[in-house]
Amino acid sequence: MDRQQLEIVSLTVLATILKCEVSAETSRKNTPQWDSLKHIEVVFALEDELGLQFSEEDLANLDSVGNIVDRALIRYAT
Amino acid sequence: MRLFEAQPALFAPRPSRLTLLGLDLPPAGQQITVNVWRNHSFESVESLTAPYFAFRGWRADFRLGGYDDTLMFAGRQEADADILWLDSSRFFAHSSLLSDWLQWLEERLRALRSGSKAPIILATWVEGSQRAEAVQAVADSLPAVLFANLETACTDARVPLLDSRSANLAGTPISNAAQVVLARELACHWLPGTLLPPVKAVALDLDHTLHSGVLGEDGIQGVRLTPGHADLQRYIKSLQQRGIFIALVSRNEPSDVEALFHQRLDYPLRWQDFSAIEVSWDDKVAAIERIAKTLRIASDAVLFVDDNPGELANIAKQLPQVHTVYAHPDASLTRQVIHFYPGLRRWKVESDDAKRIQDLKANAERESLAESTTDPAEYFRSLKVALTYRHNPQVQLNRLADLCNKTNQFNLSLRRFNQAEIADRMEREDACVTSVQLTDRLSDSGVIAVIVAERHGQQLIVEELCVSCRALGRQLEDAIILLALRDMPIFAGCQQVAFRVQHGPRNQPAMDWLVRLLGLNEVPAPGHHILQAQSLLDFATVEGVAFNKE
Amino acid sequence: MRHNLILAGPAFRLRPIGDADAHLLLELRCNPYLNRFLHATSSGVEDQLAWLADYYERPEDYYFVVERLETGTPEGVISVYDINFDTGSGEWGRWILRPGSLAAVESAWLVYRCSFEQLELAQVYCRTVADNRPVVSFHDSCGIPQRRLLPGHFDLGGRRLDAVEHLMDRQSWAQIGPRLEKLAKLTSQRLRRG
């Protein structure tokens, strides 16, 4: 998947799980619905939809659309 | 239709978390509350159960306790069920012996049981089948405690149970894939198996349901038994071993359908597998009502499977209590939906469940014999009818609780005692629980009645009185009930028997019986109704019937 | 509960909390530098006294004030609670120290000693809000092997927050206790130097 496709998948996951409007700027800091419990569901759903497994180090950094896309690209490359 | 459209997502072999969480299903009616006592995270499983509950028309309010390895059950409130959601590896991390852990677990279950009569589901896993058997034995030793083996559920679904990454992310070692599978088990099997009334019959359409194609157009050899349909038929056939009736309801020429099943030897289902057959050009609403009557079950115990959304909608409108499933062109999906249909699967298959089908077959012969005999004693003798009474039979606890909860017609007080409540009364000196088993030379109908009574001074109060439909219509109601009461140890010295009465939508047969027994002019009002004990003492046993006591 | 346990280390001691400490409790709990990860509390001493009255009735709850040994100056509070004497398990927490206090290591060491030596528990755990990085980091630095995440464990102001749990049993205490004692002694030497 390229960056644009990754962004679309990420936004779909976030919108479905957080049940709020999301954009490329959405992050845990600016989205109160994105609490720790929702974060678990977001990560699991991303792994399913993207067909990859994030590393333990990644998990702590998947806190915005941008970071999700960046980390996913790294995972695909490795 | 939204529910049918959701079937592929809900019942895929490996449902997708995102798809499940994105489903928008109609708001449900019936609510249950479930206490969850846990030492690892449940939240990411909980969210996945919602669409499955909605599919069946109910919703669950899970009350999560804190993370507590010691299972103190602090602040417990009444609920419909309690779940122990345990990561057992945490106990074994402290080098506990299995026997120590099991002893502790049993003590904790007893503590919870003493404060609650709700069913308890012990949801955990242990390594190895021997350990699992030991846990099962602990569960079996207590009433209404059910062991949900997470390992088995995941093995069956071919997903790994554990993932160490999950522990760090989600506070539970249960893998992402397993969470989805277990959510479905919880909402479709484990909770419904103890809280919902059971589905007792599956009524199936024929064309595009049990095979691909239309019999009337493609002919007997032209309809296709795809691998999916063959598998579906084998699965449906296997339901009989669990005492689930199979019925056929099809708009077709009856002779064509019978010829199909006789000629297509590749069909796993045979003509004689169907306990009820409604093949005609009639309206399916009437057909399903007749099926329920033939099977002697209420229509809310029927699951109707059809590929025609119009038929399903018509049933939903005219018989809203009948359960419906859409039959997919991909029959393997239909099989999945039926397999997971909430209420179809029970925790235990009792021997009495399996007897149900044979018993129904024997009815035809019984009815024929009754028509040819005018002397009841001769009728009973020729059938070798026998009634066996047992007081406080602990081994029958599951069956007796089933009777209390499933019997709608001949149920006098509708108390709906559960296993724990019955077990409690079996232990008390001022109470008695009596079961009655009915056999004849054609079949063993199994335990067909339960009577629960309590002694209050000179009165014997009948708190629960249920007789299975299987035993009705054989002129044995008085013998079943009055002899059971007379033989109870707590009856000795009583002056009166008080029958507790509660009105329900379908228990007219029980009311009619009491009216006749007490010589009343009208249906008894809710409350207690008295029979003098002497009437019981004077009751003559039925000639031709053998009476046994164990 | 009202208890009489006192534990002393090289520079600090734990002593039982009493009504006279209600002002201390109020000061600590209302300090904006300290209360970010605490449940909200009222600003009245009466409410602290009412809370203490309930605490005195709980047999499985031991609350301490952390004091400088030399001066008796209170530097904070700490507790062991939710004790299950049947299973020998308890939780420690309610750990608040004044800004700038050097009592962290020694108060933790003393509360562990209380748990294992005086209350004779088999294990004791501490649950910290995951976002409270300094405290989580402190527990991690103790080398406690049994650590896990408890998602959504805390409910603070209507928000569910994750907790990190550190669990110490007797086996790990045997390794970690001496290490903490050594650190406490080093800290006390630093305090004496001024």
Side-chain angles (χ1 to χ4, degrees), chain B residues 196-236:
Chain B
L196 281 182
V199 169
K200 296 182 188 173
V202 181
L204 300 122
D205 171 48
L206 179 66
D207 293 325
H208 288 307
T209 298
L210 288 177
H211 58 218
S212 176
V214 177
L215 179 62
E217 292 167 14
D218 301 324
I220 290 175
Q221 299 304 326
V223 288
R224 291 174 306 286
L225 184 72
T226 68
H229 285 101
D231 194 45
L232 171 64
Q233 287 197 21
R234 275 190 291 270
Y235 176 74
I236 295 296

